[in-house]
C-alpha cells in the first residue's frame, strides 16, 4: 500500500477522493465507528465535539465538496446530522468506504532509515498491527485534546457543581432548570450558551477577552461567500478591514452595548466568532454576560468584578490543544507551539509526510482542504514536486513572521489563513 491517510472526516475523505482520482492505492485509518469526523454523532459514553445543536457556520454551497454538492433540500446552514449524513453519502459516492478501516486508532507513525513510514495501529479489540507506507497524510484534525485553564480558578476542586469542557457537552435539555456558566466567546461558547438559554433556569456567559462577533450574513450574503467574491479579493487588506468594521457597526452596533467587552484588537487580528444568535439571546435576557471567573466558593462562581452567582455547572469552551501523540516530538509543532509546515501542508525535513485540514480560514474550509488534497496527490504521483528543504524553511519562516505581525504570538494563530490568497498559492501547482 502506498499511502496511509489518518482520519475519515471532511479532510480525510477529500484526501481519499483525490488519491482515488489519480489511481493511488491507500488505506484510511479512523478510530471512530463511522466516517464523518466531528460531525458524526458520538455514541453513548463517547466523547466528541458534535453537540446536538451544532450547525454549519458556512454556506452549504461552499462547505460541500466541489464534485458532490450538498442536497438542494438542505438549508443554507445545515444542522449537525445533515452534515454527517452528507459526508457519509460522499464517501459512498466516491467509493471510499472500502478503503476505510473503522475503529482503528493510530498509535505511532515513524520514518524508517530507508525513507518509508511505519504506522502502528490498534483495532477495537486492542490488537496492534504494524504496516509500512511510502507516504502518510495526517487529516485527523485537532479537536480531541480539550484545553482547560491550568490551573483552574481557586476553589475549583471543591466546587459543588459540575465542571466540564465543551467536548463533553451534548444537549441543552440535559441542563433543564439548572444554572449554568459558559466560559468563552468562540464559536462553541456562543452556540452552547444560546442552546442552554432555551432550557436552563439561568445562563451566564463568562468572557475574559473581547472578540469580534460577526453575523453569518452581511447585506444578505453569507460571509464565506463574501470571502471568495472577486470584488472582495480585489480590495487591499486595509480596505477589507474597514469594510467589515463599518458593516458590523450597521449590523449590530458596539459589543459593549450588549455587556460584552470590546475587542482590544482590530478585525482580522484574531479569530472572529460567527453567530446570528448570541447577541439576540443577550438582548432578550436569556443570556447574561459576565467577566472572567476569579474563583469558586462552594456552589458559587465568583467573577472578576466581585459579583458571584450560584451555579450548578460550568462549561469551559476554551478550545483544544493541537496534539499529535502518534507523531515524533516537534512534528509539526515547534517549541513555541507554532505549526511549521510549508504551505501549511508539508514539514521541511520529513519527506513523505503531509497534513491536510490543519488550517483555520476566515470562511469555509472545504475548498482549501480540496486544494491541499489535490496538491498532495500530485506530489505523491510525481506530477508536482516540493522545493528544497531550505526553500521550504524560508517560506515557513516568512509566513510565521507575517502571522506574528498580524495576530501576535497566540496559540493557534499559526494556522490562520485567508481564503483567496491561500487558494492562489496552489493554482500554479494544480491543473486548470
Amino acid at each position: 500500500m502506498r499511502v496511509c491517510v489518518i482520519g475519515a472526516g471532511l479532510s480525510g475523505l477529500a484526501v481519499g477522493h483525490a488519491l482515488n482520482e489519480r489511481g493511488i492505492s491507500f488505506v484510511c485509518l479512523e478510530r471512530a465507528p463511522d466516517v464523518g469526523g466531528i460531525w458524526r454523532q458520538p455514541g453513548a459514553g463517547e466523547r466528541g465535539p458534535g453537540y446536538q445543536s451544532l450547525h454549519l457556520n458556512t454556506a452549504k454551497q461552499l462547505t460541500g465538496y466541489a464534485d458532490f454538492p450538498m442536497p438542494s433540500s438542505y438549508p443554507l446552514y445545515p444542522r449537525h446530522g445533515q452534515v454527517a449524513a452528507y459526508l457519509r453519502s460522499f464517501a459512498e459516492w466516491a467509493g471510499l468506504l472500502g478503503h476505510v478501516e473503522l475503529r482503528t486508532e493510530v498509535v505511532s507513525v515513524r520514518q524508517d532509515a530507508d525513507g518509508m513510514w511505519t504506522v502502528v495501529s490498534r483495532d477495537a479489540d486492542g490488537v496492534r498491527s504494524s504496516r509500512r507506507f511510502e507516504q502518510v497524510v495526517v487529516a485527523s484534525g485537532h479537536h480531541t485534546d480539550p484545553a482547560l485553564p491550568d490551573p483552574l480558578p481557586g476553589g475549583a476542586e471543591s466546587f459543588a457543581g459540575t465542571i466540564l469542557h465543551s467536548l463533553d457537552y451534548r444537549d441543552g435539555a440535559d441542563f433543564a432548570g439548572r444554572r449554568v456558566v459558559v466560559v468563552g466567546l468562540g464559536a462553541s461558547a456562543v452556540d452552547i450558551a444560546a442552546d442552554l438559554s432555551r432550557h436552563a433556569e439561568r445562563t451566564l456567559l463568562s468572557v475574559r477577552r473581547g472578540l469580534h462577533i460577526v453575523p453569518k450574513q452581511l447585506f444578505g450574503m453569507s460571509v464565506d461567500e463574501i470571502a471568495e467574491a472577486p470584488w472582495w479579493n480585489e480590495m487591499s487588506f486595509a480596505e477589507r478591514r474597514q469594510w467589515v468594521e463599518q458593516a458590523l457597526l450597521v449590523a449590530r452596533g458596539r459589543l459593549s452595548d450588549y455587556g460584552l467587552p470590546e475587542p482590544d484588537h482590530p478585525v482580522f487580528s484574531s479569530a472572529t466568532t460567527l453567530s446570528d444568535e448570541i447577541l439576540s439571546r443577550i438582548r432578550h435576557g436569556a443570556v447574561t454576560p459576565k467577566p472572567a471567573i476569579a474563583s469558586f466558593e462552594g456552589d458559587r462562581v465568583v467573577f472578576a468584578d466581585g459579583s458571584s452567582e450560584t451555579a450548578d455547572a460550568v462549561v469551559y469552551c476554551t478550545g483544544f490543544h493541537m496534539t499529535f501523540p502518534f507523531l515524533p516530538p516537534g512534528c509539526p509543532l515547534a517549541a513555541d507551539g507554532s505549526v511549521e509546515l510549508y504551505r501549511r501542508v508539508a514539514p521541511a525535513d520529513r519527506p513523505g509526510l503531509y497534513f491536510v485540514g490543519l488550517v483555520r480560514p476566515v470562511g469555509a474550509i472545504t475548498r482549501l482542504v480540496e486544494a491541499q488534497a489535490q496538491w498532495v496527490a500530485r506530489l505523491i504521483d510525481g506530477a508536482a514536486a516540493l522545493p528544497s528543504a531550505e526553500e521550504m524553511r524560508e517560506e515557513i519562516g516568512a509566513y510565521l513572521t507575517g502571522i506574528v505581525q498580524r495576530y501576535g504570538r497566540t496559540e493557534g494563530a499559526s494556522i490562520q489563513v485567508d481564503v483567496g490568497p491561500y487558494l492562489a498559492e496552489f493554482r500554479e501547482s494544480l491543473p486548470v
Side-chain angles (χ1 to χ4, degrees):
M1 196 70 69
R2 291 187 62 187
V3 183
C4 176
V5 180
I6 302 174
L10 184 144
S11 297
L13 295 177
V15 173
H17 182 43
L19 295 176
N20 246 0
E21 289 283 282
R22 303 190 73 81
I24 300 169
S25 62
F26 71 97
V27 64
C28 179
L29 306 183
E30 170 56 60
R31 68 178 181 178
D34 201 356
V35 302
I38 64 171
W39 296 98
R40 185 189 61 82
Q41 180 62 49
E46 181 186 358
R47 302 183 87 189
Y51 44 89
Q52 293 278 14
S53 63
L54 180 63
H55 281 67
L56 279 181
N57 275 340
T58 51
K60 68 174 181 180
Q61 61 267 34
L62 292 176
T63 311
Y65 298 106
D67 293 340
F68 189 79
M70 288 192 182
S72 59
S73 60
Y74 276 20
L76 183 62
Y77 302 108
R79 66 179 182 274
H80 183 272
Q82 290 173 312
V83 180
Y86 165 75
L87 291 175
R88 194 168 210 291
S89 64
F90 171 78
E92 294 171 352
W93 170 84
L96 303 180
L97 294 179
H99 295 270
V100 181
E101 294 183 13
L102 299 171
R103 303 179 190 273
T104 303
E105 181 179 6
V106 174
V107 177
S108 171
V109 176
R110 295 293 184 272
Q111 192 165 29
D112 304 326
D114 61 0
M116 296 282 286
W117 291 86
T118 295
V119 177
V120 178
S121 59
R122 180 171 51 222
D123 66 17
D125 297 320
V127 178
R128 294 193 176 211
S129 62
S130 179
R131 286 171 277 187
R132 279 169 41 96
F133 298 91
E134 295 176 22
Q135 323 270 349
V136 174
V137 184
V138 179
S140 52
H142 54 95
H143 292 91
T144 56
D145 186 9
L148 286 168
D150 186 16
L152 287 168
E157 67 284 349
S158 57
F159 176 55
T162 303
I163 296 176
L164 64 156
H165 188 270
S166 61
L167 188 69
D168 299 303
Y169 180 86
R170 286 291 172 273
D171 189 358
D174 297 336
F175 297 85
R178 301 171 71 188
R179 302 168 68 89
V180 187
V181 180
V182 178
V183 180
L185 196 60
S188 295
V190 298
D191 275 1
I192 288 172
D195 184 39
L196 278 167
S197 70
R198 293 177 171 84
H199 303 276
E201 177 184 329
R202 184 160 167 78
T203 302
L204 306 174
L205 182 63
S206 170
V207 180
R208 177 181 60 85
R209 176 178 181 247
L211 292 177
H212 291 280
I213 297 176
V214 179
K216 291 183 180 181
Q217 298 185 78
L218 289 170
F219 300 104
M221 292 182 65
S222 181
V223 292
D224 47 316
E225 292 181 281
I226 292 173
E228 293 202 4
W231 59 266
W232 171 263
N233 287 294
E234 287 169 2
M235 287 195 290
S236 68
F237 178 76
E239 289 171 333
R240 292 198 297 266
R241 172 176 277 166
Q242 183 180 31
W243 188 92
V244 171
E245 288 176 342
Q246 290 176 340
L248 290 180
L249 281 176
V250 173
R252 53 146 174 87
R254 294 175 55 83
L255 290 176
S256 55
D257 293 337
Y258 298 83
L260 293 168
E262 289 289 343
D264 58 4
H265 55 279
V267 172
F268 303 141
S269 290
S270 180
T272 57
T273 297
L274 292 177
S275 177
D276 286 336
E277 263 202 301
I278 190 61
L279 299 182
S280 174
R281 299 305 290 167
I282 290 172
R283 280 280 165 90
H284 284 81
V287 174
T288 302
K290 300 292 287 186
I293 294 177
S295 62
F296 294 90
E297 294 181 1
D299 64 350
R300 300 187 71 80
V301 175
V302 181
F303 298 97
D305 61 358
S307 65
S308 67
E309 296 258 0
T310 302
D312 301 297
V314 176
V315 184
Y316 276 94
C317 301
T318 42
F320 297 83
H321 296 296
M322 282 190 287
T323 55
F324 301 89
F326 50 85
L327 289 172
C331 180
L333 301 171
D336 66 356
S338 297
V339 174
E340 296 187 331
L341 296 171
Y342 173 69
R343 285 189 178 176
R344 329 291 69 83
V345 172
D349 56 353
R350 298 185 187 274
L353 180 64
Y354 308 99
F355 293 79
V356 170
L358 195 56
V359 288
R360 184 182 295 154
V362 180
I365 194 173
T366 309
R367 295 292 172 267
L368 280 59
V369 164
E370 289 181 304
Q372 290 179 327
Q374 292 162 18
W375 184 54
V376 167
R378 288 171 61 80
L379 290 171
I380 289 172
D381 75 1
L386 290 170
S388 68
E390 181 179 355
E391 289 178 271
M392 288 195 283
R393 281 191 284 269
E394 287 178 359
E395 188 269 358
I396 293 168
Y399 168 77
L400 291 177
T401 296
I403 285 292
V404 171
Q405 291 172 348
R406 178 168 163 183
Y407 296 101
R409 294 187 182 276
T410 60
E411 187 175 351
S414 61
I415 60 173
Q416 290 283 158
V417 295
D418 293 320
V419 173
Y422 186 62
L423 284 175
E425 294 184 39
F426 292 97
R427 290 196 184 109
E428 64 188 59
S429 304
L430 297 175
V432 178

